[in-house]
Amino acid sequence: MTSTTSEPRQTDGTTTQVELLVGGMTCASCAARVEKKLNRMDGVSATVNYATEKAKVSYGPGVTVPDLIATVVKTGYTAEEPPPPEPEPEEGTGESAEGRDAESAALRQRLLVSVALAVPVVLLAMVPALQFTNWQWLSLTLAAPVVVWGGLPFHRAAWTNLRHGAATMDTLVSVGTLAAFGWSLWALFFGDAGMAGMHDSFRLTVSRAEGASSIYLEVASGVVALILLGRYLEARSKRRAGAALRALMELGAKDVTVLREGRETRVPVSSLAVGDRFVVRPGEKIATDGTVTEGVSAVDASMLTGESVPVDVSPGDRVTGATVNAGGRLVVEATRVGADTQLARMARLVEDAQNGKAQVQRLADRISAVFVPVVILIALGTFGVWLGVTGDTAAAFTAAVAVLIIACPCALGLATPTALMVGTGRGAQLGILIKGPEVLESTRRVDTVLLDKTGTVTTGRMTLQEVHTAFGEDEKEVLRLAGALEHASEHPVARAIAAGAEERVGTLPPVEHFENVPGRGVRGRVEGHDVVVGRLDHKLFEELVAARAMTEEAGRTAVAVSWDGRSRAVLAVADAVKDTSAEAVRELRSLGLTPVLLTGDNRTVAEAVAREVGIDEVIAEVLPEDKVEAVRRLQREGRTVAMVGDGVNDAAALATADLGLALGTGTDAAIEAGDLTLVRGDLRVAADAIRLSRKTLATIKGNLVWAFGYNVAALPLAAAGLLNPMIAGAAMAFSSVFVVTNSLRLRRFA
């Protein structure tokens, strides 16, 4: 399968869209700065995601990708022009994954060294019994590498931001730790703290002390180690959050056996072209989307759809790339390759959703963009107030450093992206594709769900439902003769009868003198009998008259069968309701939704289907444009409408509805128009999709409440001197880890 990192692509006549990989971002305010700078360019609209480290940019004429990259670089970060799509490498997950692994390994090494050096410093400060003569100089020796080398990423980023006149979370960490370290150096070399026999004690809160004899080496080294720990855990959690998308992208086959000039040749999947015929042996992955031309088998699509039962396929059936041939040998003709396959489109949809922003996240971005400067002002104010009230420089300094460190807005930047990454990834595993974060907000408000009938609630295929025979007639004999005659016809009703007969009685006899009477039915000679099937004029026995009336009242098509001038049976044919539809309707009701059946079919048939699945409200006999009007009418009544459909005639209604759910077994037009794509044709997945969307949105809001609440509560505590700076650093790191861990709970959604 090909990479989902896209080249610049035209979205309409004037706008081009590109995705840039942005490096050097360390917090939400970094992403906000890059986004703000890009959006200031004429004709540019950009969204920058801190968690995925990507910028999704739309730009008009007069702007080029190098212009966009130059703007990001001028802001103090790096950006890469997206490479053209290339085949996945045989082993591993590509250069970007290797780069991420190398970056993670470097961060882990920095963390381990910093922790090893910082732990003795913290213990010496916290446990007076360990403070031997001149212990403070050992602390300085151990703490210096942690502050300078361990904290180098923070100092480097803070300096870069300073050169560009900006401040981010790194500014807070760098200023706070360097201030604590600088104060300690002054106290050791110019104050009383360097004297032999000096003792100190660790305090949870700020207290008055003699500034010249106070050192904060445990704060400087401990905060660096704790924040590095938070960064490392955050990086690991973000990678776990994106694991579903990576797994999706790696599902495809690597090579394929192609039939060329009658010979089987093994070639890379990337060399496949539309129209190529390829062989899929039992146990192999199907290389790309196509149509079966030879063979009968069962295909396991569980990795794409979540559906555990393999699906039987035979010549003429469509198959999807990355699914597994669980039975016999198949020959498949490729219909879609590369970025056009369903797997590639699924991965692209998931990635686009993860790169987007919900409305609630935009509020968080606006706050985090101004948060850091405000915090610096609060820290300066804290220092001034403490100094004015107590006259104690050391206490004032400690409180100011605590304010700087506690306020880092990492949790704000991670609240939405991590939940989106996990939620959309889990959705992809279950066969639910969420197109964008704004979709999540729509699901919360929906109160009415319109269900298309054909192909959504029903199978979309006519099937033989019942056989009503006259007194003394044998059902199998009726099916043998009627099925044989109908087997020669191409009419959908005839095909349903023939298929039902073959399923129940086996091989059907041959037909002679077959004749099709348009609008009336068919007739012919089968095993010496003159058989008539359809609506031809022949007298029905009384019990068959009642059976026909009952069949038509139930919204089914009644087909009369007779031979040798005598009525034998009435067959009931209908578009069968899917086995899972009634359960799906119950699940939708349990979510507080009112289901409404919407169909162009006649009212009798529609009401019969509605009764069978438990729907009370029916809108029938509507044209495609009337479906749009039906959606708008419900919206005018004050309802928030979701629409579930699968056909071309549903596309406009899906686009008009507040929330469009397209069945992935349907047409491309319907899938493009929908907000959520349900890869399986199972209506129960619609309820799962709404539940998952609501759960993801609730997780985002919970994360934001925690992040906002944490900063609102912690800042006054720090300013009031109730938090030691090292405790503040631990709490800040915990805040980010909590948000990511909370999002990871979505992986267990079922």
Side-chain angles (χ1 to χ4, degrees), residues 3 13 91 198 212 218 334 341 374 656 679 708:
S3 168
E91 299 294 336
M198 177 269 197
E218 81 282 1
T341 64
V374 168
T656 305
V679 179
F708 280 122

Side-chain angles (χ1 to χ4, degrees), residues 405-643:
I405 291 170
I406 195 70
C408 297
C410 285
L412 284 178
L414 293 169
T416 296
T418 52
L420 266 180
M421 290 172 73
V422 182
T424 54
R426 180 58 181 150
Q429 291 174 331
L430 297 173
I432 302 164
L433 303 181
I434 302 171
K435 281 195 176 176
E438 63 281 351
V439 172
L440 305 177
E441 290 162 356
S442 300
T443 61
R444 178 175 54 86
R445 301 189 303 270
V446 166
D447 53 34
T448 302
V449 57
L450 287 173
L451 304 175
D452 170 56
K453 180 183 75 71
T454 307
T456 302
V457 176
T458 65
T459 61
R461 299 187 308 274
M462 299 297 282
T463 56
L464 178 62
Q465 300 285 300
E466 294 177 329
V467 179
H468 302 281
T469 58
F471 181 75
E473 297 294 339
D474 179 58
E475 181 177 313
K476 288 190 175 182
E477 182 71 3
V478 167
L479 288 174
R480 282 183 73 253
L481 300 184
L485 189 61
E486 293 286 48
H487 195 270
S489 173
E490 292 299 317
H491 193 279
V493 171
R495 288 204 300 269
I497 292 172
E502 281 185 313
E503 186 179 319
R504 299 185 196 190
V505 301
T507 306
L508 302 176
V511 179
E512 299 174 343
H513 310 302
F514 174 82
E515 182 183 357
N516 183 20
V517 183
R520 306 295 293 170
V522 292
R523 58 188 169 196
R525 192 164 182 81
V526 183
E527 294 185 339
H529 300 288
D530 292 320
V531 183
V532 179
V533 180
R535 296 178 181 274
L536 294 178
D537 295 326
H538 51 264
K539 187 175 180 181
L540 294 175
F541 289 111
E542 186 175 341
E543 66 267 31
L544 296 183
V545 171
R548 183 171 67 178
M550 183 175 64
T551 298
E552 291 175 346
E553 187 178 334
R556 296 172 177 173
T557 301
V559 180
V561 180
S562 66
W563 63 79
D564 299 337
R566 179 187 174 99
S567 300
R568 309 288 178 166
V570 167
L571 309 180
V573 178
D575 178 7
V577 171
K578 292 178 181 177
D579 295 338
T580 58
S581 291
E583 183 183 346
V585 169
R586 288 194 296 273
E587 290 181 5
L588 290 168
R589 285 189 185 279
S590 71
L591 292 171
L593 306 177
T594 302
V596 179
L597 190 67
L598 180 67
T599 179
D601 212 338
N602 70 72
R603 180 161 291 277
T604 302
V605 172
E607 289 180 344
V609 170
R611 281 195 301 273
E612 188 171 344
V613 298
I615 296 176
D616 301 325
E617 191 174 345
V618 176
I619 301 173
E621 300 173 1
V622 290
L623 298 172
E625 55 268 30
D626 296 329
K627 288 188 175 184
V628 173
E629 179 52 35
V631 172
R632 288 177 176 157
R633 177 173 57 79
L634 291 170
Q635 289 171 332
R636 286 195 297 271
E637 291 174 4
R639 301 204 215 181
T640 303
V641 180
M643 167 78 188

Side-chain angles (χ1 to χ4, degrees), residues 40-181:
R40 281 182 176 173
M41 298 174 68
D42 290 337
V44 172
S45 174
T47 299
V48 180
N49 190 308
Y50 165 52
T52 59
E53 298 177 341
K54 290 177 182 175
K56 189 174 181 181
V57 189
S58 298
Y59 58 95
V63 180
T64 64
V65 173
D67 292 337
L68 300 172
I69 292 174
T71 298
V72 176
V73 171
K74 285 177 187 175
T75 312
Y77 303 91
T78 63
E80 294 179 19
E81 187 171 355
E86 294 178 356
E88 291 285 338
E90 290 290 326
E91 299 294 336
T93 57
E95 291 181 10
S96 60
E98 290 172 8
R100 283 193 299 268
D101 289 340
E103 187 179 333
S104 180
L107 179 58
R108 182 171 179 269
Q109 182 185 41
R110 194 177 296 270
L111 167 65
L112 292 176
V113 172
S114 297
V115 167
L117 296 175
V119 167
V121 178
V122 173
L123 288 175
L124 285 170
M126 293 182 70
V127 185
L130 298 177
Q131 294 174 1
F132 54 87
T133 303
N134 293 323
W135 66 273
Q136 65 270 41
W137 296 103
L138 175 62
S139 291
L140 175 62
T141 305
L142 296 174
V146 178
V147 175
V148 177
W149 176 79
L152 185 60
F154 311 123
H155 309 320
R156 186 188 293 128
W159 173 245
T160 301
N161 289 320
L162 180 63
R163 282 169 36 222
H164 291 86
T168 66
M169 178 208 117
D170 295 294
T171 307
L172 302 182
V173 175
S174 180
V175 170
T177 55
L178 288 178
F181 187 66

